[in-house]
Amino acid sequence: MSVSSTADEAMEFTSRPMLEDVASEVKDHIFSYLPQETLCCLLLASPALNDAAAMRLYHSPKFRSTYRFAQFVTTVSHSRHYADMVRVLKLSDRKEAEDRANGLASWWEWKYRDIALYAAQAPPKHLLLPKKQPYTGTHPGANYLFNKTHIAVPVGFVVHVLAACRNIRQVKLNFTLTNDDLIESPNYPSSAISGLVFGSDLARSWTQGSADVESVQPNFLVRHLTSLLKLEKVQIHNAPWLTGEDVQGILWNCLRLTNVDFRDSGMPMRDQALVVSGKTAKWEVPWAMKGSKTACAATLPAGPTS
């Protein structure tokens, strides 16, 4: 083999197109077909692919469990770079009890990740056994100390996301939320973008019942939802905490809002009945509706403005 032919082959090899050299629009189109697991690998594969993979990964994230959602909350609430990439926030209803039955860690294990006694354990054995579709993930396993702890995701997690991700266009909440504690104390400074500290953020205990602690209900997130200037679509299902005042605030304060869906929300929608003159009549909630913002707002009185 001559020296010239070897040089030609080397030049041919080095001149082959690389994924890093492809235009950003083309990379984004390619990455749109990739699953989240592959995008996570690409984040670590090459610095040149990091941003392109992250843009697709954080655009509309999906969560395997409440543990993964807690990881996401920590990332976006402490990184403006990744928080600005989020456009769609969809939280489908996951039962923490089901995750634990499958041996998966939940947000509790993430909260106590720095305490060895309570941290997540190795993936459960039954997930590692060969199946028709073998489990190849690395999801942490549940800690046995939390086996009897079945508490829904606290509202503080969602507030952190809404406060940090200012470019969100669409929000879908079909997710069980529970109360949280808002802590305003110099002993617990906030490192999150929201500037807030919740009891769900702290792995250690704090003095409950003091003047520095305020219990907040799930509808506490509405004030942060209405501050999203680019919000276009809102869907809140199966939310007994949602009230007519909350709906008014969303309809009248989200200026770019186009469509809403509040069906199956509100306490009266829980198949409650009202007995009037010996007859049974179902409760009716006028704001538990779906449609355009204009049509829905026309059926309600003018709501409060921020």
Side-chain angles (χ1 to χ4, degrees):
M1 183 181 292
S2 64
V3 176
S4 60
S5 62
T6 304
D8 292 340
E9 291 179 0
M11 291 182 62
E12 180 183 357
F13 178 79
T14 56
S15 63
R16 289 175 183 174
M18 303 294 288
L19 185 58
E20 293 89 339
D21 301 327
V22 175
S24 58
E25 295 82 2
V26 178
K27 280 189 290 189
D28 184 67
H29 181 72
I30 295 173
F31 290 170
S32 66
Y33 293 96
L34 300 179
Q36 287 197 157
E37 294 79 3
T38 304
L39 292 173
C40 289
C41 294
L42 286 173
L43 285 174
L44 305 175
S46 169
L49 299 177
N50 187 286
D51 278 349
M55 287 288 290
R56 177 54 55 180
L57 179 65
Y58 284 90
H59 180 277
S60 181
K62 299 178 179 63
F63 310 104
R64 168 97 189 259
S65 65
T66 58
Y67 183 90
R68 294 305 187 199
F69 177 59
Q71 286 183 305
F72 168 80
V73 172
T74 300
T75 299
V76 298
S77 65
H78 291 80
S79 173
R80 178 65 71 184
H81 177 68
Y82 291 115
D84 287 343
M85 297 179 183
V86 181
R87 298 294 186 274
V88 179
L89 179 64
K90 292 185 178 181
L91 302 179
S92 59
D93 197 8
R94 287 196 66 90
K95 304 298 184 183
E96 188 178 349
E98 295 178 5
D99 288 342
R100 294 201 173 280
N102 294 326
L104 300 179
S106 68
W107 68 271
W108 278 87
E109 281 81 1
W110 177 256
K111 174 180 176 178
Y112 292 97
R113 63 190 180 278
D114 295 328
I115 303 178
L117 179 64
Y118 302 104
Q121 300 178 342
K125 293 182 179 179
H126 73 272
L127 291 181
L128 302 179
L129 296 177
K131 299 180 181 179
K132 293 182 180 179
Q133 295 181 348
Y135 177 78
T136 58
T138 57
H139 197 292
N143 190 303
Y144 72 95
L145 293 175
F146 296 130
N147 283 345
K148 296 185 181 298
T149 304
H150 305 309
I151 298 180
V153 172
V155 63
F157 280 27
V158 181
V159 170
H160 280 313
V161 176
L162 297 178
C165 305
R166 310 309 301 167
N167 293 322
I168 290 180
R169 265 71 167 177
Q170 182 178 352
V171 171
K172 179 180 179 180
L173 297 179
N174 184 13
F175 208 61
T176 303
L177 295 173
T178 188
N179 295 356
D180 210 336
D181 290 314
L182 179 62
I183 302 175
E184 299 180 355
S185 171
N187 297 326
Y188 300 101
S190 175
S191 60
I193 295 175
S194 66
L196 303 175
V197 177
F198 295 93
S200 56
D201 299 325
L202 305 177
R204 299 294 184 180
S205 61
W206 66 96
T207 305
Q208 298 190 25
S210 67
D212 297 332
V213 179
E214 176 189 357
S215 179
V216 292
Q217 298 181 354
N219 61 355
F220 180 75
L221 64 84
V222 172
R223 70 176 67 177
H224 297 275
L225 186 67
T226 55
S227 66
L228 296 174
L229 301 180
K230 300 179 181 180
L231 188 63
E232 298 173 356
K233 296 182 180 180
V234 172
Q235 185 179 48
I236 303 179
H237 282 180
N238 301 313
W241 48 265
L242 194 68
T243 67
E245 184 177 338
D246 296 331
V247 171
Q248 286 178 303
I250 294 172
L251 289 173
W252 291 89
N253 291 323
C254 298
L255 302 181
R256 295 184 61 176
L257 195 63
T258 58
N259 294 89
V260 297
D261 188 352
F262 301 118
R263 293 174 298 172
D264 300 324
S265 290
M267 286 298 292
M269 296 303 293
R270 295 296 184 182
D271 295 330
Q272 300 184 44
L274 176 66
V275 178
V276 180
S277 302
K279 298 181 180 181
T280 301
K282 288 187 177 181
W283 289 87
E284 294 183 358
V285 182
W287 49 260
M289 61 186 122
K290 174 185 178 181
S292 67
K293 172 188 175 180
T294 303
C296 293
T299 64
L300 298 176
T305 57
S306 60

